[in-house]
PDB file of all heavy atoms in Angstrom:
ATOM      1  N   LEU B 127      -0.551 -38.470 -31.390  1.00 95.00           N
ATOM      2  CA  LEU B 127       0.025 -37.109 -31.388  1.00 95.00           C
ATOM      3  C   LEU B 127       1.557 -37.095 -31.396  1.00 95.00           C
ATOM      4  O   LEU B 127       2.165 -36.290 -31.999  1.00 95.00           O
ATOM      5  CB  LEU B 127      -0.534 -36.404 -30.119  1.00 95.00           C
ATOM      6  CG  LEU B 127      -2.045 -35.942 -30.088  1.00 95.00           C
ATOM      7  CD1 LEU B 127      -2.488 -35.519 -28.788  1.00 95.00           C
ATOM      8  CD2 LEU B 127      -2.170 -34.808 -31.129  1.00 95.00           C
ATOM      9  N   GLN B 128       2.084 -38.031 -30.557  1.00 95.00           N
ATOM     10  CA  GLN B 128       3.550 -38.066 -30.313  1.00 95.00           C
ATOM     11  C   GLN B 128       4.153 -38.514 -31.759  1.00 95.00           C
ATOM     12  O   GLN B 128       5.224 -37.914 -32.098  1.00 95.00           O
ATOM     13  CB  GLN B 128       3.897 -39.196 -29.372  1.00 95.00           C
ATOM     14  CG  GLN B 128       3.837 -38.698 -27.926  1.00 95.00           C
ATOM     15  CD  GLN B 128       3.901 -39.680 -26.948  1.00 95.00           C
ATOM     16  OE1 GLN B 128       3.506 -40.949 -27.254  1.00 95.00           O
ATOM     17  NE2 GLN B 128       4.143 -39.350 -25.662  1.00 95.00           N
ATOM     18  N   GLU B 129       3.492 -39.359 -32.442  1.00 96.00           N
ATOM     19  CA  GLU B 129       3.974 -39.832 -33.795  1.00 96.00           C
ATOM     20  C   GLU B 129       3.988 -38.551 -34.798  1.00 96.00           C
ATOM     21  O   GLU B 129       4.936 -38.299 -35.453  1.00 96.00           O
ATOM     22  CB  GLU B 129       2.964 -40.897 -34.448  1.00 96.00           C
ATOM     23  CG  GLU B 129       3.654 -41.659 -35.488  1.00 96.00           C
ATOM     24  CD  GLU B 129       2.680 -42.617 -36.075  1.00 96.00           C
ATOM     25  OE1 GLU B 129       2.050 -43.376 -35.344  1.00 96.00           O
ATOM     26  OE2 GLU B 129       2.651 -42.689 -37.414  1.00 96.00           O
ATOM     27  N   ILE B 130       2.941 -37.841 -34.754  1.00 94.00           N
ATOM     28  CA  ILE B 130       2.863 -36.577 -35.509  1.00 94.00           C
ATOM     29  C   ILE B 130       4.036 -35.757 -35.205  1.00 94.00           C
ATOM     30  O   ILE B 130       4.765 -35.141 -35.991  1.00 94.00           O
ATOM     31  CB  ILE B 130       1.490 -35.842 -35.373  1.00 94.00           C
ATOM     32  CG1 ILE B 130       0.359 -36.697 -36.103  1.00 94.00           C
ATOM     33  CG2 ILE B 130       1.569 -34.432 -35.925  1.00 94.00           C
ATOM     34  CD1 ILE B 130      -1.071 -36.271 -35.598  1.00 94.00           C
ATOM     35  N   GLU B 131       4.186 -35.549 -33.854  1.00 93.00           N
ATOM     36  CA  GLU B 131       5.319 -34.644 -33.311  1.00 93.00           C
ATOM     37  C   GLU B 131       6.661 -35.252 -33.842  1.00 93.00           C
ATOM     38  O   GLU B 131       7.475 -34.415 -34.215  1.00 93.00           O
ATOM     39  CB  GLU B 131       5.243 -34.675 -31.843  1.00 93.00           C
ATOM     40  CG  GLU B 131       6.281 -33.876 -31.169  1.00 93.00           C
ATOM     41  CD  GLU B 131       6.000 -32.264 -31.305  1.00 93.00           C
ATOM     42  OE1 GLU B 131       4.908 -31.963 -31.481  1.00 93.00           O
ATOM     43  OE2 GLU B 131       6.887 -31.542 -31.087  1.00 93.00           O
ATOM     44  N   ARG B 132       6.772 -36.497 -33.784  1.00 93.00           N
ATOM     45  CA  ARG B 132       8.094 -37.121 -34.001  1.00 93.00           C
ATOM     46  C   ARG B 132       8.381 -37.148 -35.569  1.00 93.00           C
ATOM     47  O   ARG B 132       9.462 -36.800 -35.955  1.00 93.00           O
ATOM     48  CB  ARG B 132       8.128 -38.516 -33.471  1.00 93.00           C
ATOM     49  CG  ARG B 132       9.427 -39.159 -33.413  1.00 93.00           C
ATOM     50  CD  ARG B 132       9.427 -40.608 -32.774  1.00 93.00           C
ATOM     51  NE  ARG B 132       8.499 -41.402 -33.442  1.00 93.00           N
ATOM     52  CZ  ARG B 132       7.465 -42.044 -33.029  1.00 93.00           C
ATOM     53  NH1 ARG B 132       7.093 -41.770 -31.830  1.00 93.00           N
ATOM     54  NH2 ARG B 132       6.780 -42.908 -33.769  1.00 93.00           N
ATOM     55  N   ASP B 133       7.410 -37.511 -36.307  1.00 94.00           N
ATOM     56  CA  ASP B 133       7.730 -37.797 -37.786  1.00 94.00           C
ATOM     57  C   ASP B 133       7.275 -36.713 -38.686  1.00 94.00           C
ATOM     58  O   ASP B 133       7.775 -36.618 -39.772  1.00 94.00           O
ATOM     59  CB  ASP B 133       6.923 -39.043 -38.166  1.00 94.00           C
ATOM     60  CG  ASP B 133       7.349 -40.300 -37.434  1.00 94.00           C
ATOM     61  OD1 ASP B 133       8.417 -40.192 -36.761  1.00 94.00           O
ATOM     62  OD2 ASP B 133       6.760 -41.331 -37.392  1.00 94.00           O
ATOM     63  N   TRP B 134       6.299 -35.899 -38.242  1.00 95.00           N
ATOM     64  CA  TRP B 134       5.758 -34.936 -39.291  1.00 95.00           C
ATOM     65  C   TRP B 134       5.939 -33.594 -38.882  1.00 95.00           C
ATOM     66  O   TRP B 134       5.744 -32.563 -39.643  1.00 95.00           O
ATOM     67  CB  TRP B 134       4.295 -35.195 -39.423  1.00 95.00           C
ATOM     68  CG  TRP B 134       3.995 -36.534 -39.939  1.00 95.00           C
ATOM     69  CD1 TRP B 134       3.536 -37.617 -39.199  1.00 95.00           C
ATOM     70  CD2 TRP B 134       4.160 -37.017 -41.261  1.00 95.00           C
ATOM     71  NE1 TRP B 134       3.505 -38.718 -40.022  1.00 95.00           N
ATOM     72  CE2 TRP B 134       3.908 -38.385 -41.250  1.00 95.00           C
ATOM     73  CE3 TRP B 134       4.659 -36.418 -42.442  1.00 95.00           C
ATOM     74  CZ2 TRP B 134       3.930 -39.148 -42.367  1.00 95.00           C
ATOM     75  CZ3 TRP B 134       4.684 -37.272 -43.489  1.00 95.00           C
ATOM     76  CH2 TRP B 134       4.388 -38.577 -43.545  1.00 95.00           C
ATOM     77  N   THR B 135       6.446 -33.187 -37.630  1.00 94.00           N
ATOM     78  CA  THR B 135       6.627 -31.860 -37.195  1.00 94.00           C
ATOM     79  C   THR B 135       8.090 -31.441 -37.217  1.00 94.00           C
ATOM     80  O   THR B 135       8.898 -32.233 -36.535  1.00 94.00           O
ATOM     81  CB  THR B 135       6.105 -31.520 -35.892  1.00 94.00           C
ATOM     82  OG1 THR B 135       4.750 -32.211 -35.821  1.00 94.00           O
ATOM     83  CG2 THR B 135       5.886 -30.078 -35.620  1.00 94.00           C
ATOM     84  N   PRO B 136       8.626 -30.507 -38.011  1.00 94.00           N
ATOM     85  CA  PRO B 136      10.098 -30.194 -37.929  1.00 94.00           C
ATOM     86  C   PRO B 136      10.393 -29.586 -36.631  1.00 94.00           C
ATOM     87  O   PRO B 136       9.729 -28.790 -36.030  1.00 94.00           O
ATOM     88  CB  PRO B 136      10.262 -29.292 -39.176  1.00 94.00           C
ATOM     89  CG  PRO B 136       8.925 -28.661 -39.430  1.00 94.00           C
ATOM     90  CD  PRO B 136       7.882 -29.689 -38.866  1.00 94.00           C
ATOM     91  N   SER B 137      11.570 -30.019 -36.131  1.00 94.00           N
ATOM     92  CA  SER B 137      12.108 -29.376 -34.864  1.00 94.00           C
ATOM     93  C   SER B 137      12.727 -28.027 -35.104  1.00 94.00           C
ATOM     94  O   SER B 137      12.839 -27.603 -36.375  1.00 94.00           O
ATOM     95  CB  SER B 137      13.119 -30.340 -34.276  1.00 94.00           C
ATOM     96  OG  SER B 137      14.321 -30.262 -35.066  1.00 94.00           O
ATOM     97  N   PHE B 138      12.874 -27.309 -34.070  1.00 95.00           N
ATOM     98  CA  PHE B 138      13.422 -25.931 -34.143  1.00 95.00           C
ATOM     99  C   PHE B 138      14.757 -26.015 -34.821  1.00 95.00           C
ATOM    100  O   PHE B 138      14.970 -25.110 -35.798  1.00 95.00           O
ATOM    101  CB  PHE B 138      13.470 -25.438 -32.683  1.00 95.00           C
ATOM    102  CG  PHE B 138      14.030 -23.963 -32.613  1.00 95.00           C
ATOM    103  CD1 PHE B 138      13.328 -22.984 -33.085  1.00 95.00           C
ATOM    104  CD2 PHE B 138      15.307 -23.742 -32.164  1.00 95.00           C
ATOM    105  CE1 PHE B 138      13.693 -21.659 -33.106  1.00 95.00           C
ATOM    106  CE2 PHE B 138      15.784 -22.501 -32.095  1.00 95.00           C
ATOM    107  CZ  PHE B 138      14.978 -21.392 -32.611  1.00 95.00           C
ATOM    108  N   GLN B 139      15.606 -26.955 -34.518  1.00 95.00           N
ATOM    109  CA  GLN B 139      16.985 -27.084 -35.164  1.00 95.00           C
ATOM    110  C   GLN B 139      16.800 -27.210 -36.601  1.00 95.00           C
ATOM    111  O   GLN B 139      17.518 -26.612 -37.448  1.00 95.00           O
ATOM    112  CB  GLN B 139      17.677 -28.148 -34.532  1.00 95.00           C
ATOM    113  CG  GLN B 139      18.380 -27.995 -33.165  1.00 95.00           C
ATOM    114  CD  GLN B 139      17.243 -27.884 -32.084  1.00 95.00           C
ATOM    115  OE1 GLN B 139      16.141 -28.465 -32.212  1.00 95.00           O
ATOM    116  NE2 GLN B 139      17.653 -27.379 -30.843  1.00 95.00           N
ATOM    117  N   ASP B 140      15.947 -28.153 -36.995  1.00 95.00           N
ATOM    118  CA  ASP B 140      15.741 -28.442 -38.456  1.00 95.00           C
ATOM    119  C   ASP B 140      15.270 -27.161 -39.152  1.00 95.00           C
ATOM    120  O   ASP B 140      15.769 -26.844 -40.298  1.00 95.00           O
ATOM    121  CB  ASP B 140      14.702 -29.479 -38.664  1.00 95.00           C
ATOM    122  CG  ASP B 140      15.162 -30.927 -38.197  1.00 95.00           C
ATOM    123  OD1 ASP B 140      16.387 -30.997 -38.077  1.00 95.00           O
ATOM    124  OD2 ASP B 140      14.318 -31.780 -38.058  1.00 95.00           O
ATOM    125  N   MET B 141      14.323 -26.459 -38.539  1.00 96.00           N
ATOM    126  CA  MET B 141      13.757 -25.278 -39.216  1.00 96.00           C
ATOM    127  C   MET B 141      14.928 -24.210 -39.337  1.00 96.00           C
ATOM    128  O   MET B 141      14.987 -23.570 -40.380  1.00 96.00           O
ATOM    129  CB  MET B 141      12.606 -24.706 -38.292  1.00 96.00           C
ATOM    130  CG  MET B 141      11.384 -25.485 -38.634  1.00 96.00           C
ATOM    131  SD  MET B 141      10.075 -25.142 -37.376  1.00 96.00           S
ATOM    132  CE  MET B 141       9.355 -23.689 -38.003  1.00 96.00           C
ATOM    133  N   VAL B 142      15.778 -24.091 -38.276  1.00 96.00           N
ATOM    134  CA  VAL B 142      16.842 -22.999 -38.409  1.00 96.00           C
ATOM    135  C   VAL B 142      17.820 -23.478 -39.476  1.00 96.00           C
ATOM    136  O   VAL B 142      18.266 -22.568 -40.239  1.00 96.00           O
ATOM    137  CB  VAL B 142      17.563 -22.972 -36.992  1.00 96.00           C
ATOM    138  CG1 VAL B 142      18.730 -22.109 -37.165  1.00 96.00           C
ATOM    139  CG2 VAL B 142      16.597 -22.330 -35.981  1.00 96.00           C
ATOM    140  N   LYS B 143      18.132 -24.754 -39.518  1.00 97.00           N
ATOM    141  CA  LYS B 143      18.976 -25.268 -40.586  1.00 97.00           C
ATOM    142  C   LYS B 143      18.429 -24.920 -42.024  1.00 97.00           C
ATOM    143  O   LYS B 143      19.097 -24.488 -42.902  1.00 97.00           O
ATOM    144  CB  LYS B 143      19.131 -26.778 -40.406  1.00 97.00           C
ATOM    145  CG  LYS B 143      20.512 -27.242 -40.980  1.00 97.00           C
ATOM    146  CD  LYS B 143      20.534 -28.747 -40.870  1.00 97.00           C
ATOM    147  CE  LYS B 143      21.707 -29.227 -39.863  1.00 97.00           C
ATOM    148  NZ  LYS B 143      21.584 -30.661 -39.710  1.00 97.00           N
ATOM    149  N   LYS B 144      17.135 -25.116 -42.121  1.00 96.00           N
ATOM    150  CA  LYS B 144      16.504 -24.941 -43.407  1.00 96.00           C
ATOM    151  C   LYS B 144      16.496 -23.468 -43.809  1.00 96.00           C
ATOM    152  O   LYS B 144      16.750 -23.054 -45.006  1.00 96.00           O
ATOM    153  CB  LYS B 144      15.006 -25.398 -43.315  1.00 96.00           C
ATOM    154  CG  LYS B 144      14.435 -25.676 -44.775  1.00 96.00           C
ATOM    155  CD  LYS B 144      13.028 -26.173 -44.657  1.00 96.00           C
ATOM    156  CE  LYS B 144      12.318 -26.145 -46.027  1.00 96.00           C
ATOM    157  NZ  LYS B 144      10.913 -26.276 -45.926  1.00 96.00           N
ATOM    158  N   LEU B 145      16.275 -22.636 -42.751  1.00 96.00           N
ATOM    159  CA  LEU B 145      16.300 -21.221 -42.919  1.00 96.00           C
ATOM    160  C   LEU B 145      17.641 -20.771 -43.401  1.00 96.00           C
ATOM    161  O   LEU B 145      17.801 -19.966 -44.452  1.00 96.00           O
ATOM    162  CB  LEU B 145      15.944 -20.493 -41.684  1.00 96.00           C
ATOM    163  CG  LEU B 145      15.740 -19.003 -41.726  1.00 96.00           C
ATOM    164  CD1 LEU B 145      14.448 -18.781 -42.429  1.00 96.00           C
ATOM    165  CD2 LEU B 145      15.800 -18.472 -40.339  1.00 96.00           C
ATOM    166  N   GLN B 146      18.726 -21.314 -42.780  1.00 96.00           N
ATOM    167  CA  GLN B 146      20.117 -20.901 -43.170  1.00 96.00           C
ATOM    168  C   GLN B 146      20.396 -21.443 -44.661  1.00 96.00           C
ATOM    169  O   GLN B 146      21.004 -20.718 -45.469  1.00 96.00           O
ATOM    170  CB  GLN B 146      21.139 -21.644 -42.216  1.00 96.00           C
ATOM    171  CG  GLN B 146      21.161 -20.625 -40.941  1.00 96.00           C
ATOM    172  CD  GLN B 146      21.923 -21.366 -39.864  1.00 96.00           C
ATOM    173  OE1 GLN B 146      22.312 -22.535 -39.931  1.00 96.00           O
ATOM    174  NE2 GLN B 146      22.235 -20.644 -38.795  1.00 96.00           N
ATOM    175  N   GLN B 147      19.874 -22.570 -44.911  1.00 97.00           N
ATOM    176  CA  GLN B 147      20.050 -23.141 -46.309  1.00 97.00           C
ATOM    177  C   GLN B 147      19.574 -22.234 -47.264  1.00 97.00           C
ATOM    178  O   GLN B 147      20.059 -21.926 -48.436  1.00 97.00           O
ATOM    179  CB  GLN B 147      19.579 -24.601 -46.367  1.00 97.00           C
ATOM    180  CG  GLN B 147      20.510 -25.635 -45.886  1.00 97.00           C
ATOM    181  CD  GLN B 147      19.890 -27.025 -45.893  1.00 97.00           C
ATOM    182  OE1 GLN B 147      18.775 -27.134 -46.287  1.00 97.00           O
ATOM    183  NE2 GLN B 147      20.633 -27.974 -45.522  1.00 97.00           N
ATOM    184  N   GLU B 148      18.250 -21.876 -47.029  1.00 95.00           N
ATOM    185  CA  GLU B 148      17.573 -21.000 -47.904  1.00 95.00           C
ATOM    186  C   GLU B 148      18.258 -19.729 -48.098  1.00 95.00           C
ATOM    187  O   GLU B 148      18.410 -19.187 -49.254  1.00 95.00           O
ATOM    188  CB  GLU B 148      16.082 -20.633 -47.353  1.00 95.00           C
ATOM    189  CG  GLU B 148      15.080 -21.701 -47.747  1.00 95.00           C
ATOM    190  CD  GLU B 148      13.740 -21.435 -47.074  1.00 95.00           C
ATOM    191  OE1 GLU B 148      13.524 -20.389 -46.618  1.00 95.00           O
ATOM    192  OE2 GLU B 148      12.955 -22.352 -47.184  1.00 95.00           O
ATOM    193  N   LYS B 149      18.835 -19.173 -47.001  1.00 96.00           N
ATOM    194  CA  LYS B 149      19.516 -17.940 -47.135  1.00 96.00           C
ATOM    195  C   LYS B 149      20.688 -18.025 -47.968  1.00 96.00           C
ATOM    196  O   LYS B 149      21.092 -17.208 -48.819  1.00 96.00           O
ATOM    197  CB  LYS B 149      19.917 -17.518 -45.684  1.00 96.00           C
ATOM    198  CG  LYS B 149      19.115 -16.316 -45.117  1.00 96.00           C
ATOM    199  CD  LYS B 149      19.703 -15.830 -43.761  1.00 96.00           C
ATOM    200  CE  LYS B 149      18.685 -14.949 -43.149  1.00 96.00           C
ATOM    201  NZ  LYS B 149      19.257 -14.610 -41.836  1.00 96.00           N
ATOM    202  N   THR B 150      21.541 -19.207 -47.745  1.00 97.00           N
ATOM    203  CA  THR B 150      22.862 -19.302 -48.536  1.00 97.00           C
ATOM    204  C   THR B 150      22.486 -19.527 -49.992  1.00 97.00           C
ATOM    205  O   THR B 150      23.210 -18.922 -50.847  1.00 97.00           O
ATOM    206  CB  THR B 150      23.561 -20.529 -47.973  1.00 97.00           C
ATOM    207  OG1 THR B 150      22.725 -21.616 -47.772  1.00 97.00           O
ATOM    208  CG2 THR B 150      24.338 -20.215 -46.690  1.00 97.00           C
ATOM    209  N   SER B 151      21.403 -20.307 -50.212  1.00 97.00           N
ATOM    210  CA  SER B 151      21.142 -20.592 -51.726  1.00 97.00           C
ATOM    211  C   SER B 151      20.610 -19.247 -52.367  1.00 97.00           C
ATOM    212  O   SER B 151      20.947 -19.023 -53.473  1.00 97.00           O
ATOM    213  CB  SER B 151      19.986 -21.586 -51.758  1.00 97.00           C
ATOM    214  OG  SER B 151      18.775 -21.177 -51.256  1.00 97.00           O
ATOM    215  N   HIS B 152      19.984 -18.523 -51.662  1.00 97.00           N
ATOM    216  CA  HIS B 152      19.419 -17.189 -52.118  1.00 97.00           C
ATOM    217  C   HIS B 152      20.659 -16.307 -52.446  1.00 97.00           C
ATOM    218  O   HIS B 152      20.725 -15.583 -53.457  1.00 97.00           O
ATOM    219  CB  HIS B 152      18.588 -16.490 -51.074  1.00 97.00           C
ATOM    220  CG  HIS B 152      18.115 -15.181 -51.672  1.00 97.00           C
ATOM    221  ND1 HIS B 152      17.101 -14.990 -52.619  1.00 97.00           N
ATOM    222  CD2 HIS B 152      18.438 -13.875 -51.159  1.00 97.00           C
ATOM    223  CE1 HIS B 152      16.932 -13.716 -52.774  1.00 97.00           C
ATOM    224  NE2 HIS B 152      17.639 -13.023 -52.036  1.00 97.00           N
ATOM    225  N   MET B 153      21.715 -16.350 -51.529  1.00 97.00           N
ATOM    226  CA  MET B 153      22.785 -15.591 -51.683  1.00 97.00           C
ATOM    227  C   MET B 153      23.556 -15.907 -52.901  1.00 97.00           C
ATOM    228  O   MET B 153      24.108 -15.166 -53.679  1.00 97.00           O
ATOM    229  CB  MET B 153      23.696 -15.575 -50.408  1.00 97.00           C
ATOM    230  CG  MET B 153      23.157 -14.981 -49.107  1.00 97.00           C
ATOM    231  SD  MET B 153      23.814 -13.428 -48.928  1.00 97.00           S
ATOM    232  CE  MET B 153      25.312 -13.878 -47.980  1.00 97.00           C
ATOM    233  N   GLU B 154      23.739 -17.271 -53.048  1.00 97.00           N
ATOM    234  CA  GLU B 154      24.435 -17.833 -54.241  1.00 97.00           C
ATOM    235  C   GLU B 154      23.772 -17.481 -55.521  1.00 97.00           C
ATOM    236  O   GLU B 154      24.391 -17.048 -56.429  1.00 97.00           O
ATOM    237  CB  GLU B 154      24.374 -19.381 -54.076  1.00 97.00           C
ATOM    238  CG  GLU B 154      25.198 -20.206 -55.058  1.00 97.00           C
ATOM    239  CD  GLU B 154      26.730 -19.851 -55.148  1.00 97.00           C
ATOM    240  OE1 GLU B 154      27.201 -19.431 -53.933  1.00 97.00           O
ATOM    241  OE2 GLU B 154      27.384 -19.937 -56.150  1.00 97.00           O
ATOM    242  N   GLU B 155      22.488 -17.550 -55.490  1.00 97.00           N
ATOM    243  CA  GLU B 155      21.732 -17.148 -56.721  1.00 97.00           C
ATOM    244  C   GLU B 155      22.071 -15.727 -57.058  1.00 97.00           C
ATOM    245  O   GLU B 155      22.208 -15.315 -58.245  1.00 97.00           O
ATOM    246  CB  GLU B 155      20.228 -17.298 -56.480  1.00 97.00           C
ATOM    247  CG  GLU B 155      19.634 -18.596 -57.018  1.00 97.00           C
ATOM    248  CD  GLU B 155      18.224 -18.747 -56.617  1.00 97.00           C
ATOM    249  OE1 GLU B 155      17.497 -17.728 -56.591  1.00 97.00           O
ATOM    250  OE2 GLU B 155      17.787 -19.814 -56.374  1.00 97.00           O
ATOM    251  N   GLU B 156      22.040 -14.895 -56.055  1.00 97.00           N
ATOM    252  CA  GLU B 156      22.197 -13.351 -56.227  1.00 97.00           C
ATOM    253  C   GLU B 156      23.627 -13.116 -56.791  1.00 97.00           C
ATOM    254  O   GLU B 156      23.896 -12.355 -57.638  1.00 97.00           O
ATOM    255  CB  GLU B 156      22.038 -12.769 -54.855  1.00 97.00           C
ATOM    256  CG  GLU B 156      21.870 -11.208 -54.883  1.00 97.00           C
ATOM    257  CD  GLU B 156      20.574 -10.719 -55.640  1.00 97.00           C
ATOM    258  OE1 GLU B 156      19.796 -11.564 -56.092  1.00 97.00           O
ATOM    259  OE2 GLU B 156      20.416  -9.519 -55.566  1.00 97.00           O
ATOM    260  N   ARG B 157      24.614 -13.920 -56.147  1.00 98.00           N
ATOM    261  CA  ARG B 157      25.971 -13.825 -56.632  1.00 98.00           C
ATOM    262  C   ARG B 157      26.129 -14.140 -58.083  1.00 98.00           C
ATOM    263  O   ARG B 157      26.732 -13.437 -58.890  1.00 98.00           O
ATOM    264  CB  ARG B 157      26.914 -14.631 -55.701  1.00 98.00           C
ATOM    265  CG  ARG B 157      28.329 -14.458 -55.871  1.00 98.00           C
ATOM    266  CD  ARG B 157      29.145 -15.405 -55.062  1.00 98.00           C
ATOM    267  NE  ARG B 157      29.065 -16.758 -55.519  1.00 98.00           N
ATOM    268  CZ  ARG B 157      29.590 -17.305 -56.681  1.00 98.00           C
ATOM    269  NH1 ARG B 157      30.428 -16.555 -57.402  1.00 98.00           N
ATOM    270  NH2 ARG B 157      29.396 -18.550 -57.012  1.00 98.00           N
ATOM    271  N   LEU B 158      25.477 -15.273 -58.496  1.00 97.00           N
ATOM    272  CA  LEU B 158      25.502 -15.754 -59.896  1.00 97.00           C
ATOM    273  C   LEU B 158      24.961 -14.634 -60.834  1.00 97.00           C
ATOM    274  O   LEU B 158      25.500 -14.293 -61.910  1.00 97.00           O
ATOM    275  CB  LEU B 158      24.941 -16.995 -60.030  1.00 97.00           C
ATOM    276  CG  LEU B 158      25.656 -18.252 -59.542  1.00 97.00           C
ATOM    277  CD1 LEU B 158      24.625 -19.469 -59.483  1.00 97.00           C
ATOM    278  CD2 LEU B 158      26.902 -18.539 -60.251  1.00 97.00           C
ATOM    279  N   ARG B 159      23.960 -14.053 -60.286  1.00 97.00           N
ATOM    280  CA  ARG B 159      23.217 -13.049 -61.182  1.00 97.00           C
ATOM    281  C   ARG B 159      24.074 -11.855 -61.362  1.00 97.00           C
ATOM    282  O   ARG B 159      24.190 -11.384 -62.505  1.00 97.00           O
ATOM    283  CB  ARG B 159      21.877 -12.690 -60.468  1.00 97.00           C
ATOM    284  CG  ARG B 159      20.896 -11.940 -61.308  1.00 97.00           C
ATOM    285  CD  ARG B 159      19.690 -11.644 -60.548  1.00 97.00           C
ATOM    286  NE  ARG B 159      20.014 -10.590 -59.521  1.00 97.00           N
ATOM    287  CZ  ARG B 159      19.946  -9.272 -59.717  1.00 97.00           C
ATOM    288  NH1 ARG B 159      19.723  -8.871 -61.039  1.00 97.00           N
ATOM    289  NH2 ARG B 159      20.245  -8.397 -58.831  1.00 97.00           N
ATOM    290  N   ILE B 160      24.715 -11.520 -60.248  1.00 97.00           N
ATOM    291  CA  ILE B 160      25.512 -10.222 -60.402  1.00 97.00           C
ATOM    292  C   ILE B 160      26.822 -10.492 -61.315  1.00 97.00           C
ATOM    293  O   ILE B 160      27.168  -9.657 -62.117  1.00 97.00           O
ATOM    294  CB  ILE B 160      26.033  -9.840 -58.927  1.00 97.00           C
ATOM    295  CG1 ILE B 160      24.852  -9.186 -58.231  1.00 97.00           C
ATOM    296  CG2 ILE B 160      27.247  -8.892 -59.070  1.00 97.00           C
ATOM    297  CD1 ILE B 160      25.062  -9.057 -56.731  1.00 97.00           C
ATOM    298  N   GLU B 161      27.259 -11.703 -61.227  1.00 97.00           N
ATOM    299  CA  GLU B 161      28.373 -12.129 -62.065  1.00 97.00           C
ATOM    300  C   GLU B 161      28.000 -12.026 -63.465  1.00 97.00           C
ATOM    301  O   GLU B 161      28.674 -11.479 -64.363  1.00 97.00           O
ATOM    302  CB  GLU B 161      28.868 -13.490 -61.752  1.00 97.00           C
ATOM    303  CG  GLU B 161      29.943 -13.537 -60.805  1.00 97.00           C
ATOM    304  CD  GLU B 161      30.473 -14.953 -60.603  1.00 97.00           C
ATOM    305  OE1 GLU B 161      30.157 -15.882 -61.349  1.00 97.00           O
ATOM    306  OE2 GLU B 161      31.122 -15.195 -59.529  1.00 97.00           O
TER     307      GLU B 161
END
Side-chain angles (χ1 to χ4, degrees):
Chain B
L127 287 171
Q128 281 168 339
E129 199 184 316
I130 289 164
E131 179 74 19
R132 194 177 59 240
D133 299 343
W134 301 102
T135 318
S137 69
F138 182 67
Q139 283 76 17
D140 289 346
M141 280 164 85
V142 170
K143 209 184 239 177
K144 200 181 170 191
L145 189 72
Q146 279 168 354
Q147 275 175 1
E148 272 175 14
K149 255 186 188 174
T150 47
S151 68
H152 179 74
M153 293 263 277
E154 184 63 24
E155 265 176 35
E156 194 71 353
R157 192 184 63 77
L158 287 172
R159 197 181 68 83
I160 285 165
E161 263 181 23

